[in-house]
Amino acid sequence: MTVDTAGPGAALARMAAIQTVIASVSGTAARATGTSATTGSAFDSAYGAALQGTGDVAGGDLFAGNAGTDVGSRAVTAARRYLGVPYVWGGTDPATGLDCSGLVQRAYADVGVRLPRVAADQARAGTAVPDLAHARPGDLLAFNSPVTHIAIYVGDGKMIAAPKRGDVVKVQDVYTTPTAIRRLGPTVDTGAATSAGAASGAPAALQQLFAAATSRYDLPAGLLAAVAKAESGFDTRAVSSAGAQGLMQLMPATARGLGVDPLDPAQAVDGAARMLSRDLGRFGSLDLAVAAYNAGAGAVQRYGGVPPYAETQQYVRRVLGYLGVS
């Protein structure tokens, strides 16, 4: 397939190419999965292969993890698929057009993170980033108050956005100071993690475990210490009335599934870190990952947010409070 890459017809030609790829890939993915869905790993593999030779970004390498392994970097890679797609107000389908929040929702859905539909709600997802100097690829940049526009930061003062009617999805300068910057992919600084563990009042030996697991699984600094404090008060031999065991209060069945001994602090911390990392990636939000640790990921999915259980809601507030997050 040949796509014009210069001149006034470039965007239209690119859109036609993308539509052709999407149409052909839908059938390929459906045959691979036995469904009519055009999302998921089958779609990604077919889409990446089909894009080779179209002049699109990276071709099949888009889905090989070459652009980074954290959620934000993968979302940037996913968003680049849609470069050249026309802006359509209310658009959520790249075959016909995308608006700003449709692009953001679609790109993050492609990497397994569910976001609300509109920009104002997306601008409350994840955790706050103080300013553009601290922004990382994949952070959401929201504009205006109330929020009416949103984009995905790609680094170096650039963002991917679906800007306005008559335009297309493109990389452009961050043209003004965002009113909010939100991060969905967890990041960590090991020194900060150790400091956060100390601030929590955790014993020195546990601080080392928390810092190592925080670095290993790329978790927010202080999260493991906050969860352990809420769960057991750092008591490595604690057993609850429900049967949860050890420092991280893992149920026996959960511990078996993780392949850890809940009464061994190092194993318990590693197992808890894996669970939190998984749910941060799944839900893209610190409060939802903490809620899943208490009530289970199934309950978070079922209610589409923090479950309406008094215990879970209090637990989330307590853990976030230990982290200094409102």
Side-chain angles (χ1 to χ4, degrees), residues 196 220-227 286 290 316-326:
L223 176 59
L224 287 169
V227 168
L286 185 59
V290 172
V316 170
R317 287 194 293 269
R318 186 161 64 253
V319 171
L320 296 187
Y322 292 152
L323 284 169
V325 177
S326 61

Side-chain angles (χ1 to χ4, degrees), residues 137-172:
D139 288 351
L140 303 186
L141 307 183
F143 299 92
N144 308 317
S145 183
V147 172
T148 58
H149 184 55
I150 197 159
I152 300 174
Y153 190 59
V154 300
D156 298 324
K158 305 284 186 181
M159 62 186 186
I160 295 180
K164 60 184 184 299
R165 287 182 174 89
D167 212 332
V168 298
V169 175
K170 63 185 181 183
V171 176
Q172 61 179 166

